[in-house]
Amino acid sequence: MASPEFTTDARIKKRRTIRHGIILTFILLVLIASLVLAYMVNTRSLIIDALEPKPVAEAPIAVNEACPTTKFNYVDPAKMKVNVMNATQVSGLAGATATKLKKRGFKVGDVGNARLSNVEVVGAVTSGPDGYAQAMTVQRHIKDLTYVYDPKRPGKTVDLVVGTKYKDLVREKSVNKKPGKLGCTPPKPKGDAKPSTAPEKPEPSTEQKDK
């Protein structure tokens, strides 16, 4: 028969062993949890806001609204509207141009006369801040058409004003329909011709009849 002292010592050792086992198991679980957490954070499976790097403030990029350098998508002519104006002495030029644009699907608004500060150009297309893509689209149909920006112009409708150097539209099969930039600078003169300045914002004349 075991003595009472021996029985007490055995119970204490057993409890100590169980306690040590519990502590070791807890430490092991904490270690495993830490490794899993570290793995998830490292692989971005788990994002902890407090550990994320703070974004560095960047200086705003200057944008030239009068001649943006970004590319614009070609717009379906059926989804845009263009006013056609004549700045030359050639009678009926705006009406003839408007008819050709209609055949290509453009929605034509007003047709009349306008004044350009320099009429010795192919012409000018004017838009507001919402009409960049539409203006670029018109340029694809008329080669060397200069862009004129009007910051106060609302909507996406554009004005096309034809000058004395305007001949005709680009062949429909040759129209470039890929994204591109606006042509803001007038083409360089050939030979000994004097350079021409970009036309200022066209002003419609009081007469609505097409010359």
Side-chain angles (χ1 to χ4, degrees):
M1 183 175 179
S3 63
E5 293 83 2
F6 179 79
T7 303
T8 302
D9 290 341
R11 289 179 179 177
I12 292 174
K13 289 180 179 181
K14 186 176 181 180
R15 290 176 182 174
R16 188 178 299 167
T17 300
I18 294 173
R19 185 166 58 249
H20 286 172
I22 294 173
I23 294 174
L24 290 174
T25 301
F26 177 75
I27 293 174
L28 182 61
L29 292 174
V30 171
L31 180 60
I32 293 173
S34 300
L35 292 174
V36 172
L37 180 62
Y39 174 79
M40 293 179 68
V41 171
N42 188 52
T43 58
R44 308 291 293 179
S45 298
L46 176 65
I47 297 177
I48 301 176
D49 293 338
L51 300 179
E52 290 296 298
K54 295 182 179 180
V56 180
E58 297 181 358
I61 300 174
V63 177
N64 182 6
E65 293 183 342
C67 186
T69 58
T70 55
K71 289 186 177 181
F72 300 97
N73 291 325
Y74 179 88
V75 179
D76 181 356
K79 296 181 179 179
M80 60 174 289
K81 184 178 180 180
V82 55
N83 300 319
V84 185
M85 303 294 173
N86 182 7
T88 75
Q89 297 297 321
V90 180
S91 178
L93 187 57
T97 304
T99 299
K100 292 180 179 180
L101 290 173
K102 286 180 180 179
K103 289 181 179 180
R104 296 193 178 184
F106 284 92
K107 293 180 179 179
V108 176
D110 296 333
V111 177
N113 297 328
R115 297 186 181 92
L116 286 176
S117 59
N118 176 24
V119 297
E120 294 183 2
V121 292
V122 173
V125 57
T126 302
S127 83
D130 296 327
Y132 290 131
Q134 287 74 13
M136 187 275 293
T137 299
V138 174
Q139 285 184 328
R140 293 291 177 82
H141 288 262
I142 301 177
K143 187 178 179 181
D144 295 334
L145 194 65
T146 303
Y147 175 69
V148 179
Y149 176 65
D150 183 358
K152 297 181 180 180
R153 186 183 183 88
K156 299 179 180 181
T157 299
V158 300
D159 284 350
L160 165 63
V161 183
V162 292
T164 58
K165 291 187 177 182
Y166 166 76
K167 300 298 182 182
D168 202 351
L169 273 63
V170 175
R171 286 196 311 168
E172 191 168 4
K173 293 182 179 179
S174 301
V175 174
N176 181 5
K177 298 182 180 180
K178 295 181 180 179
K181 299 179 181 179
L182 276 167
C184 304
T185 306
K188 294 182 180 180
K190 297 180 181 179
D192 296 330
K194 295 181 180 180
S196 61
T197 56
E200 295 179 358
K201 184 177 69 174
E203 298 180 0
S205 65
T206 53
E207 300 177 5
Q208 288 300 316
K209 182 180 179 181
D210 174 23
K211 291 182 180 178

